[in-house]
Structure formats: C-alpha cells, structure tokens
Amino acid sequence: MLRNASYVCDLWDKSSMDSVVFSTDVEDIMWLQLQDDSADSIAADEEMGDTLTAEEQKVALASVTSMLSANSIESSLSSVLRHIGRYYKADRTYILSLANDNREVTMLYEWVSEGKHSIRHIMFGVKIQKIPLLTRCLKESRPLLTKTTGKGYGAMKPNVPWHFIVLPLKDHYSIKGFLCVENPHEHTEEIRLLQMLIPHMLKLI
C-alpha cells in the first residue's frame, strides 16, 4: 500500500493542487508501474504478416464505416475504440498523445467496458518516464505485448493473467502517441487489426 501511494504521488507531483485521485482510480492505473522484470513483455513484429481473418475484416469494415459516418473527430475515434474494445473484450481502449518533447502523455480518447469507469481525467500530462511500458514502446518504436499475473498491482488479481497491448502511433518517422488495449480477454497476441486501423486513425489525430 505504501509503495502504491508513493508511486501515485510521484506520478502526479506536478499536477495542480486541486487535483483529486480516488482509490478506484489508483487501483486501475497501477499497471503504469509494471516493470519488465515483473511481466512477460514481447516486442511484436511490425509487419502484419498474415491477412486479416474474416472476423477481423468484419470489425475493420465496421470501424472504418463508423469513422466515415461520424460527425466529429471525437465521435469518429471513439467509435473505433469501441469496436476495438468489444473485439478484444478489453477493460478499456484509449489513445494517448505525446507532448512536451515526448516527455508527457495525455489521454485524448477512451472507450470503457461495462462495469469499469473512465480514467481519462487523471491521464493528463503524466510523465512518460514514470510509465515503463510506454517508455519502452517509444524507445523501440514498435508494438509491445505484455502479460503478468498482476500480483501486487491494485485491481489485478493474483495468478490471473492480465494483458496489455500498446502500439506506437507513427506518422512517417515520428511517434505521435500510443494506441492501448488494456486487459484484453480475447485475441491477446493478435495485433493485425490494430495495425490495419492505425493509418486511418492517424489522419484524425
């Protein structure tokens, strides 16, 4: 508990004095401190490899169609995150943007599954050096798949596999942010769909 409290204080040491972080928020963001030695992290190949499956094609088509029919950028990207989240049966999906010379991340858009709550209000101007998973993804400039038992990390249940997928949002040679799939319960090692959708999403970010 003391380690968690210390980490949260350090994470938001430059936040405004009136910032409020609830205990449920803390539990749901403790994955941020996961280190490589406490999780199985795999740097995925950037090449898509095999073609999309029939199910992936269906989700991709629905995602792109919803993007084109949306009446705003926010509704467009939110609809894509919803399709992604439902396909992966994830807790959350979100887009993080890089700022301040790649030293900070802010959550731009988010989809939340039933029974979960939004963490967007506390993911603003967070120092990326405090988030090992994102730091590594930025450094290696390629997708990262992570699996852990979650022991000692807030809401993660001991001995229950917990997954996290993060892909860099690359515009040519620069990284603008990250596409994250938090705790997917299906397709935990598949990123072809995400790789196919990212170019479409980058046009709106």
Side-chain angles (χ1 to χ4, degrees):
M1 182 180 294
L2 289 177
R3 180 185 65 172
N4 290 353
S6 175
Y7 175 75
V8 172
C9 290
D10 189 33
L11 193 64
W12 282 279
D13 63 351
K14 293 185 178 180
S15 298
S16 61
M17 293 296 293
D18 59 352
S19 295
V20 178
V21 180
F22 297 99
S23 60
T24 51
D25 297 329
V26 173
E27 290 181 348
D28 281 339
I29 58 159
M30 291 315 296
W31 64 267
L32 297 176
Q33 64 175 308
L34 281 173
Q35 303 284 345
D36 287 341
D37 60 1
S38 64
D40 296 325
S41 299
I42 302 173
D45 194 338
E46 288 189 280
E47 298 297 326
M48 285 188 62
D50 296 336
T51 57
L52 298 181
T53 65
E55 185 180 6
E56 288 172 332
Q57 290 178 21
K58 182 178 180 181
V59 177
L61 178 60
S63 298
V64 174
T65 300
S66 65
M67 288 180 68
L68 295 175
S69 61
N71 55 16
S72 69
I73 293 178
E74 181 168 5
S75 61
S76 179
L77 291 173
S78 295
S79 66
V80 176
L81 292 176
R82 182 178 67 253
H83 285 294
I84 292 173
R86 289 176 176 174
Y87 173 74
Y88 282 92
K89 288 185 169 49
D91 287 354
R92 298 179 185 85
T93 56
Y94 35 86
I95 295 172
L96 302 174
S97 68
L98 281 164
N100 196 14
D101 293 328
N102 292 346
R103 293 196 296 267
E104 296 178 349
V105 290
T106 291
M107 186 177 293
L108 296 180
Y109 307 101
E110 174 193 39
W111 172 85
V112 182
S113 65
E114 185 177 355
K116 292 291 181 177
H117 61 277
S118 173
I119 59 172
R120 184 176 175 181
H121 62 292
I122 55 175
M123 289 297 294
F124 180 84
V126 179
K127 294 175 290 186
I128 192 171
Q129 67 182 31
K130 303 296 183 181
I131 312 176
L133 295 179
L134 298 186
T135 300
R136 179 180 173 186
C137 184
L138 177 63
K139 180 180 179 180
E140 299 185 3
S141 186
R142 56 178 175 173
L144 185 65
L145 311 178
T146 297
K147 175 184 177 181
T148 179
T149 57
K151 185 177 181 180
Y153 288 94
M156 303 179 198
K157 299 178 181 179
N159 303 317
V160 176
W162 188 92
H163 300 265
F164 192 84
I165 301 173
V166 55
L167 288 83
L169 295 172
K170 292 197 292 187
D171 185 7
H172 299 294
Y173 297 101
S174 64
I175 297 179
K176 302 178 68 174
F178 307 95
L179 172 60
C180 303
V181 181
E182 181 185 321
N183 198 23
H185 293 84
E186 293 186 1
H187 315 294
T188 56
E189 297 182 0
E190 300 174 9
I191 60 172
R192 291 186 301 269
L193 173 64
L194 303 176
Q195 291 174 312
M196 181 271 170
L197 291 173
I198 282 178
H200 299 281
M201 301 171 74
L202 278 170
K203 296 176 182 179
L204 301 177
I205 298 174

